[in-house]
């Protein structure tokens, strides 16, 4: 689900902290994969972004220790 904001900015559900909780399966982009856009799937262990919204995705740590920004929430 994408949310349209003013100034024609589109945000996906991974940009809002309220949508992400420990135990949720997500697809993240790792720092090393930002140019290629390759996504890594895993289960959220910790939320690392403190703000309620981040335009590039909420930063999380997966249960396997990988850190990246949420691009999709797997239903």
């Amino acid at each position: 689900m994408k949310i349209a904001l003013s100034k024609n900015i589109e945000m996906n559900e991974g940009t809002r902290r309220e949508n992400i909780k420990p135990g949720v399966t997500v697809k993240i982009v790792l720092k090393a994969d930002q140019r290629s856009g390759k996504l890594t799937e895993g289960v959220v262990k910790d939320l690392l972004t403190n703000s309620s919204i981040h335009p590039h995705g909420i930063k999380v740590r997966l249960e396997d220790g990988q850190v990246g920004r949420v691009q999709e929430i797997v239903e």
Side-chain angles (χ1 to χ4, degrees):
M1 176 176 96
K2 293 203 178 204
I3 301 166
L5 298 177
S6 61
K7 300 181 187 174
N8 296 326
I9 298 172
E10 278 195 2
M11 297 179 70
N12 66 28
E13 58 201 4
T15 61
R16 300 183 64 84
R17 196 172 196 276
E18 67 190 26
N19 296 334
I20 303 162
K21 306 279 185 245
V24 171
T25 302
V26 295
K27 291 184 181 179
I28 65 168
V29 63
L30 302 172
K31 182 80 169 178
D33 295 332
Q34 284 179 342
R35 286 182 181 255
S36 68
K38 177 183 170 233
L39 299 180
T40 303
E41 189 169 315
V43 178
V44 175
K45 179 179 180 183
D46 301 306
L47 280 76
L48 304 177
T49 299
N50 290 324
S51 63
S52 61
I53 297 175
H54 192 285
H56 302 293
I58 300 298
K59 189 179 279 188
V60 297
R61 179 180 296 114
L62 300 180
E63 288 184 343
D64 64 4
Q66 296 185 93
V67 174
R69 295 195 180 272
V70 176
Q71 301 300 301
E72 297 177 31
I73 297 174
V74 179
E75 299 292 327

